[in-house]
């Protein structure tokens, strides 16, 4: 059992990411490789957990261990913590076992006080440097530890340092005085004058940050669970703001937006790290570093290559150059765009660093989903508003919003928003996740906005300096153009351009890297992947995206247009079977044509066709509309001036009242659990006959054209085996009739959708006749937990937020309830028919977490919406690997 709360990076085990956190483990790894790392120690995640277990009190012995570690830093550096003549200064950073950008900002220059700043000025001979270091410390400590609002400190800083810096030391001292007054006014306490007290409060603030809102939001948005607590890294300061021979920067071993294998990043001369990542000054390309500090740049490139080979993955590196000497401050697995993630994985396979199975493991299904995001279609008439740096690719349009809270609120109600900020901070995280795109006027490609957006797959443009934001007036200006809150703009994260208005977007072109990863995934996975598709166009798109068949063709969706819906209404409203047959005859050619197109698109692959399954009210005219029409007709009748008009209006009123009477007789209290599914086919067998005729007519036509047709007819909403038997007979009798008439016989299957708990529990009886099952987990979830999916959005998110549920059961399958019914249905069905084909065609078929579960249950295939097919293919491969 771990007993020590503090570990020196020189002695720590770099493989213990769970204990040291990602940042601490990275430092330990670099120290073990004899890279230039400033001395440091790590307070473990164990200490963080003990802190919360003790009701936010530090565990016994922690401060003694911290003091001992500080003494070792003093020995290594020859400086004293709190020494007014030669002060030891440290940085304090959070470091969770998983990367969580923005959980808590870094505190630099901790250890400085009003007295020691003078000693630092005398020691270095640079009063401006010393007071600027103290200014930075006061600002960071006040905001991070005391929670002082950023805005008044921002305003004071921008007034004193309009360009982010000054050569006037008195101006800096005056700013420090102002920041300390603001701190005292808001926090009701001064910055501690004792460095040890500073350190203790800073460590406690890091611990507290683990449970702050933005950290919880980040873990929720990224599905991070099973990780408890953060490490704290305390590291000796090195200074990039010592003059023209010093600087600081962030480097990626490959381009995080494109994946191109070249050192990529930004650098600032005479600056500290916050200047780069916070966007306070516009950084320069690393090529500038190669020009002004060639030796340090060469050393950085060599170290970057070593780190990538050591960790076997692209790295995100923070570094500082102090008086010409390169120091490494951090290395971690780099966040990257989805396109870069795929390219880097493929390139690392080609370079012999990893194998194809590891490449598949590294690319999460959601990253593949991001590749399917739309791109902005070029438009010669588009009005270019501004241009910045392309931080995260993709194209998105929405209304301009300047506040993260408002962005989240509007998005929750279905509004597409673009969050526009001068720069973002971790407090904006929830708004960034809700927005379609993010635009900042400051910052570079390693700024907070860029890193978070890239990691979340959000379209992002940063450093659009031509934009001037007026938060008070809720508008932005670019030269003479004014855009107010609520007006639409389009963001192109691939080019860095921002346009006025909502431009058209188009589907992206998937490249060879994507295809190679998908090929590897297909070689690994054991689950089949089909698509839910209702039209020939959907079927063609599904094939392009790698679907091996259609797992759900919802025939009712074929009727929801134009003349078809009117004909379907006439079928339902018909007073007898003869009238129904007349109207069904109008629909049959449309059905046959659709099926023919789908079979052609799916040549050689199975097509599962669900017979009609709408609640009847979806086709019927609305009662209120009919009542309104009758009222209008009666008013016109009163005003009619001739007998011919009166007779016509009376006929129309009688017809409308007849329809209203039929609608009232057919209306249902709960249509979802009413006259739908197989119940509709049993009541109106002519409908089932018509659909079966259309299916087999289309199949015969396709076979005559040399197309390999594999129809699977699915009887919906079966609760009793007798229901299935009755509908199966109609289908098979119709098929025999078509085959006898045409002289062609086609192999086909008849099965059912398991979407009711009774069907799952009696699956053995249904399997006596059914040749396949397809679990409709959407309705199975509704009927199992007794909740309408349409109504659940009103309160289920609150259940998840309060911890009553771990996740929304309509997004990820409820393993203990719905999942158990699936298991029972699979086991019972296969006991009767061991060759029973079983699939899942609910939305869970495209959810990676659900696919993990389904992999172990014995499902043969999943079926999902067309554009989730690549996601499901990769998720199935990862499930097989796991």
């Amino acid at each position: 059992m771990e007993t020590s709360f503090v570990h020196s990076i020189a002695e720590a085990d770099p493989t213990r990411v769970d204990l040291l956190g990602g940042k601490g483990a990275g430092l330990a790894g670099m120290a073990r490789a004899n890279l230039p790392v400033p001395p440091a120690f790590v307070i473990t995640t164990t200490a963080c957990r003990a802190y919360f277990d003790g009701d936010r009190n530090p565990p016994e012995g922690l401060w003694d261990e911290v003091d001992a570690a500080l003494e070792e830093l003093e020995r290594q550096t020859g400086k004293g913590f709190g020494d007014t003549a030669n002060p030891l200064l440290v940085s304090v950073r959070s470091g969770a076992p998983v990367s969580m950008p923005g959980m808590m900002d870094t505190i630099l220059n901790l250890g400085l006080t009003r007295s020691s700043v003078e000693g630092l000025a005398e020691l270095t001979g640079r009063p401006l440097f010393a007071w600027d270091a103290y200014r930075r410390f006061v600002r960071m400590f006040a905001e991070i530890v005391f929670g002082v609002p950023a805005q008044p400190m921002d305003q004071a800083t921008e007034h004193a340092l309009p360009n982010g810096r000054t050569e006037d030391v008195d101006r800096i001292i005056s700013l420090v005085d102002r920041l300390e007054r603001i701190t005292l006014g808001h926090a009701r306490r001064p910055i501690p004058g004792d460095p040890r007290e500073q350190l203790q409060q800073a460590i406690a603030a890091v611990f507290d940050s683990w449970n702050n809102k933005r950290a919880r939001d980040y873990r929720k948005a990224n599905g991070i669970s099973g990780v408890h607590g953060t490490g704290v890294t305390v590291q000796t300061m090195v200074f990039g703001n010592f003059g023209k021979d010093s600087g600081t920067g962030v480097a990626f071993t490959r381009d995080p937006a494109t994946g191109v294998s070249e050192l990529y990043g930004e650098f600032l001369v005479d600056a500290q790290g916050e200047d780069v990542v916070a966007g306070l000054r516009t950084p320069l390309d690393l090529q500038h570093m190669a020009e002004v500090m060639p030796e340090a740049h060469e050393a950085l490139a060599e170290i970057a290559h070593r780190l990538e080979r050591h960790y076997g993955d692209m790295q995100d590196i923070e570094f500082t150059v102090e008086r010409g000497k390169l120091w490494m401050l951090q290395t971690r697995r780099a966040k990257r765009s989805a396109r870069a993630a795929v390219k880097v994985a493929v390139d690392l396979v080609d370079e012999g660093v990893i194998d194809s199975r590891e490449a598949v493991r590294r690319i999460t299904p959601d990253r593949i989903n991001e590749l399917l995001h739309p791109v902005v279609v070029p438009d010669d008439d588009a009005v270019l508003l501004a241009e910045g740096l392309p931080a995260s690719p993709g194209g998105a349009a929405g209304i301009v919003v300047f506040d993260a809270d408002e962005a989240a609120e509007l998005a929750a109600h279905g509004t597409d928003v673009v969050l526009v900020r001068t720069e973002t901070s971790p407090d904006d995280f929830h708004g960034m996740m809700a927005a379609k795109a993010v635009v900042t006027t400051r910052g570079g490609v390693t700024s907070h906005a860029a890193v978070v957006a890239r990691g979340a797959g959000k379209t992002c443009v940063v450093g659009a300096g031509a934009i001037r934001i007026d938060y008070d007036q809720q508008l932005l200006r670019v030269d003479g153009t004014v855009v107010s809150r609520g007006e639409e703009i389009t963001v192109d994260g691939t080019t860095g351009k921002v346009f006025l208005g909502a431009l058209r977007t188009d589907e992206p072109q998937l490249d060879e890297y994507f295809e190679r990863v998908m090929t590897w995934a297909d070689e690994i996975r054991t689950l089949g992947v089909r698509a839910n598709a209702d039209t020939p166009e959907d079927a063609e798109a599904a094939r392009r995206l790698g679907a091996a068949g259609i797992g759900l063709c919802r025939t009712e969706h074929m009727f929801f247009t134009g003349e078809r819906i009117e004909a379907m209404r006439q079928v339902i409203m018909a007073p007898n079977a003869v009238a129904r047959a007349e109207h069904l005859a109008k629909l049959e050619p449309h059905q046959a044509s659709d099926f023919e197109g789908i079979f052609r698109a799916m040549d050689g692959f199975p097509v599962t066709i669900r017979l009609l399954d709408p609640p009847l009210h979806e086709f019927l005219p609305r009662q209120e509309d009919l009542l309104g029409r009758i009222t209008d007709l009666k008013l016109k009748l009163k005003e009619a001036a001739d007998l011919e008009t009166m007779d016509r209006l009376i006929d129309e009123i009688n017809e409308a009242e007849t329809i209203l009477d039929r609608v009232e007789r057919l209306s249902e209290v709960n249509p979802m659990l009413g006259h739908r599914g197989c119940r509709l086919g049993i009541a109106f067998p002519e409908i089932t006959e018509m659909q079966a005729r259309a299916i087999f007519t289309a199949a015969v036509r396709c076979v005559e054209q040399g197309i390999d047709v594999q129809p699977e007819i699915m009887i919906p909403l079966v609760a009793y085996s007798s229901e299935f038997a009755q509908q199966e007979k109609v289908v098979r009798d119709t098929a025999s009739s078509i085959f006898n008439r045409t002289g062609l016989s086609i192999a086909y299957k008849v099965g059912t959708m398991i979407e009711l708990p009774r069907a799952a529990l009696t699956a053995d009886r249904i399997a006596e006749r059914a040749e396949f099952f397809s679990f409709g987990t959407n309705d199975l979830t509704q009927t199992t937990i007794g909740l309408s999916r349409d109504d659940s959005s009103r309160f289920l998110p609150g259940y998840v937020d309060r911890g009553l549920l771990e996740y929304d059961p309509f997004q990820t399958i409820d393993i203990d309830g719905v999942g158990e019914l699936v298991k029972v249905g699979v086991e019972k069905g296969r006991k009767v028919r061991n060759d029973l084909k079983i699939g899942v065609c609910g939305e869970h078929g495209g959810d990676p977490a659900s696919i993990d579960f389904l992999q172990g249950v014995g499902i043969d295939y999943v079926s999902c919406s067309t554009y989730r097919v690549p996601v499901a293919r990769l998720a199935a491969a990862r499930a097989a690997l796991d």
Side-chain angles (χ1 to χ4, degrees), residues 11-323:
E11 300 171 356
D13 180 355
T15 66
R16 293 295 306 276
V17 179
D18 62 317
L19 187 68
L20 305 176
K23 194 179 299 290
L27 288 175
M30 290 193 293
R32 182 163 293 193
N34 295 317
L35 299 182
V37 181
F41 61 86
V42 180
I43 302 169
T44 65
T45 57
T46 307
C48 182
R49 290 195 294 275
Y51 172 82
F52 285 111
D53 289 344
D55 196 21
R56 296 178 60 205
N57 288 307
E60 185 177 352
L62 174 61
W63 298 139
D64 291 337
E65 290 188 41
V66 169
D67 285 340
L70 279 172
E71 289 177 6
E72 178 58 23
L73 291 188
E74 290 175 325
R75 187 191 66 76
Q76 294 180 52
T77 62
K79 300 177 181 180
F81 194 61
D83 188 336
T84 57
N86 186 18
L88 168 66
L89 306 182
V90 298
S91 64
V92 179
R93 303 169 184 253
S94 65
V98 292
S99 180
M100 294 176 56
M103 189 177 80
M104 195 197 85
D105 297 318
T106 299
I107 301 176
L108 302 178
N109 310 326
L110 188 142
L112 270 179
T113 64
R114 275 280 181 170
S115 55
S116 62
V117 70
E118 296 287 0
L120 183 63
E122 185 174 344
L123 178 70
T124 61
R126 299 188 62 201
L128 183 68
F129 158 75
W131 279 99
D132 191 54
Y134 187 56
R135 183 266 302 182
R136 294 169 186 268
F137 165 69
V138 169
R139 164 65 194 269
M140 294 177 183
F141 192 93
E143 184 176 350
I144 294 166
V145 179
F146 287 170
V148 177
Q151 186 176 12
M153 294 190 290
D154 282 341
Q155 291 175 340
T157 302
E158 289 178 8
H159 178 73
L161 310 175
N163 297 316
R165 56 195 305 169
T166 183
E167 297 299 320
D168 184 350
V169 68
D170 291 334
R171 199 176 185 89
I172 295 288
I173 294 173
S174 176
L175 174 58
V176 169
D177 293 339
R178 175 66 179 150
L179 294 175
E180 288 184 331
R181 288 197 299 273
I182 291 171
T183 300
L184 188 60
H186 281 274
R188 302 301 183 200
R189 50 180 170 161
I191 302 291
D194 178 0
R196 276 178 169 74
E197 187 178 348
Q198 293 175 2
L199 182 58
Q200 290 176 3
Q201 291 187 23
I203 291 168
V206 174
F207 288 160
D208 286 334
S209 74
W210 176 254
N211 273 334
N212 67 20
K213 183 179 185 300
R214 65 193 187 214
R216 294 196 305 272
D217 286 347
Y218 187 90
R219 292 196 290 272
K220 178 181 176 182
N222 289 274
I224 297 171
S225 60
V227 179
H228 306 287
T230 178
V232 185
T233 301
V234 180
Q235 188 169 36
T236 305
M237 284 296 305
V238 288
F239 298 97
N241 56 338
F242 245 132
K244 299 299 183 185
D245 60 350
S246 303
T248 189
V250 175
F252 295 85
T253 54
R254 300 175 190 238
D255 187 323
T258 66
V260 172
S261 182
E262 61 183 13
L263 194 61
Y264 178 94
E266 296 171 328
F267 178 75
L268 276 175
V269 175
D270 195 16
Q272 282 198 308
E274 61 157 337
D275 298 329
V276 177
V277 297
L280 301 176
R281 289 166 54 190
T282 302
L284 302 168
D285 188 272
L286 278 180
Q287 183 58 41
H288 181 75
M289 180 185 175
E291 296 168 2
V292 299
M293 299 178 190
E295 293 182 2
H297 182 272
E298 185 178 347
L300 176 65
E302 192 273 331
I303 289 173
H305 180 76
R306 286 176 58 188
L307 287 172
E308 187 173 271
R309 286 301 181 266
H310 175 76
Y311 288 105
D313 201 359
M314 174 182 162
Q315 296 294 293
D316 172 357
I317 301 166
E318 290 182 19
F319 65 92
T320 287
V321 179
E322 182 183 81
R323 293 177 174 174

Side-chain angles (χ1 to χ4, degrees), residues 645-664:
T645 301
M646 293 174 66
D647 288 342
R648 178 177 56 78
L649 289 170
I650 290 171
D651 289 343
E652 291 183 21
I653 291 170
N654 289 336
E655 181 184 2
E657 288 180 337
T658 299
I659 294 172
L660 177 62
D661 179 64
R662 180 71 169 154
V663 167
E664 288 175 342

Side-chain angles (χ1 to χ4, degrees), residues 512-565:
E512 60 179 305
Y513 297 99
F514 170 86
E515 294 299 339
R516 289 183 66 186
V517 169
M518 288 292 100
T519 298
W520 294 334
D522 292 341
E523 291 169 353
I524 294 167
R525 65 182 170 89
T526 57
L527 271 178
V529 176
R530 301 190 192 179
N532 301 340
D534 311 318
T535 66
E537 294 75 19
D538 287 346
E540 289 169 3
R543 279 296 300 271
R544 288 196 302 272
L545 292 172
I550 290 176
L552 176 62
C553 175
R554 294 155 290 202
T555 55
E556 65 274 9
H557 288 193
M558 297 174 174
F559 298 133
F560 288 155
T561 57
E563 62 186 69
R564 299 189 187 193
I565 192 169

Side-chain angles (χ1 to χ4, degrees), residues 331-623:
T331 189
R332 62 183 174 186
R333 183 181 181 276
K335 296 286 185 182
R336 63 206 80 174
S337 71
R339 190 168 301 281
V342 172
K343 183 178 185 332
V344 168
V346 172
D347 285 347
L348 288 174
V349 172
D350 291 343
E351 294 164 20
V353 178
I354 61 175
D355 61 23
S356 59
R357 295 170 71 86
E358 177 60 24
V360 168
R361 279 194 183 94
R362 287 191 180 177
I363 303 170
T364 63
D366 286 341
R367 302 318 313 262
I368 288 295
N369 187 42
E370 291 167 28
L371 288 179
L372 307 175
H373 286 180
V375 295
V376 176
V377 175
D379 184 346
D380 292 339
D381 297 326
V383 179
L384 179 63
L385 181 66
E387 192 165 358
L389 299 173
S392 186
I399 65 169
V400 171
V401 173
F402 299 102
D403 177 75
D405 290 337
E406 185 179 18
E409 182 179 351
L410 288 172
H413 290 88
T415 303
D416 292 342
V417 301
V418 176
L419 180 63
V420 182
R421 303 282 292 165
T422 302
E423 65 243 7
T424 62
S425 73
D427 289 328
D428 296 316
F429 177 79
H430 62 298
M432 295 176 70
M433 294 302 99
K436 291 292 183 181
V438 178
V439 176
T440 67
T441 64
R442 296 180 185 168
V445 294
T446 57
S447 64
H448 175 269
V451 170
V452 171
R454 221 164 22 237
K458 295 287 181 179
T459 296
C460 181
V461 170
V462 299
I467 296 176
R468 295 289 181 267
I469 299 176
D470 186 331
Y471 287 116
D472 293 333
Q473 297 294 319
Q474 290 286 282
L475 54 82
L476 63 85
R477 293 186 177 88
V478 181
D479 297 327
T481 303
V482 176
V483 179
S484 298
R485 174 203 163 280
E487 293 188 50
E488 284 186 311
I489 63 172
T490 300
V491 182
D492 189 340
T494 304
T495 65
K497 294 179 179 179
V498 181
F499 299 93
L500 283 175
L503 301 187
R504 189 168 69 86
T505 57
D506 206 350
E507 297 303 320
Q509 297 298 312
L510 301 175
D511 59 24
E512 60 179 305
Y513 297 99
F514 170 86
E515 294 299 339
R516 289 183 66 186
V517 169
M518 288 292 100
T519 298
W520 294 334
D522 292 341
E523 291 169 353
I524 294 167
R525 65 182 170 89
T526 57
L527 271 178
V529 176
R530 301 190 192 179
N532 301 340
D534 311 318
T535 66
E537 294 75 19
D538 287 346
E540 289 169 3
R543 279 296 300 271
R544 288 196 302 272
L545 292 172
I550 290 176
L552 176 62
C553 175
R554 294 155 290 202
T555 55
E556 65 274 9
H557 288 193
M558 297 174 174
F559 298 133
F560 288 155
T561 57
E563 62 186 69
R564 299 189 187 193
I565 192 169
E566 187 56 39
M568 191 64 201
R569 279 178 181 163
Q570 295 299 328
V571 170
I572 296 170
M573 301 288 293
N576 53 56
V578 174
R580 268 193 300 278
E582 179 183 336
H583 295 299
L584 284 168
K586 299 175 185 177
L587 287 174
E588 188 173 331
H590 295 299
Q591 285 260 278
S593 176
D594 285 345
F595 291 137
E596 189 174 345
I598 291 170
F599 288 143
R600 185 177 292 109
M602 283 291 155
D603 185 5
F605 290 101
V607 177
T608 303
I609 300 168
R610 183 178 72 185
L611 299 181
L612 199 64
D613 182 27
L616 285 183
H617 76 281
E618 293 186 9
F619 286 117
L620 297 178
R622 296 169 61 204
Q623 287 176 275

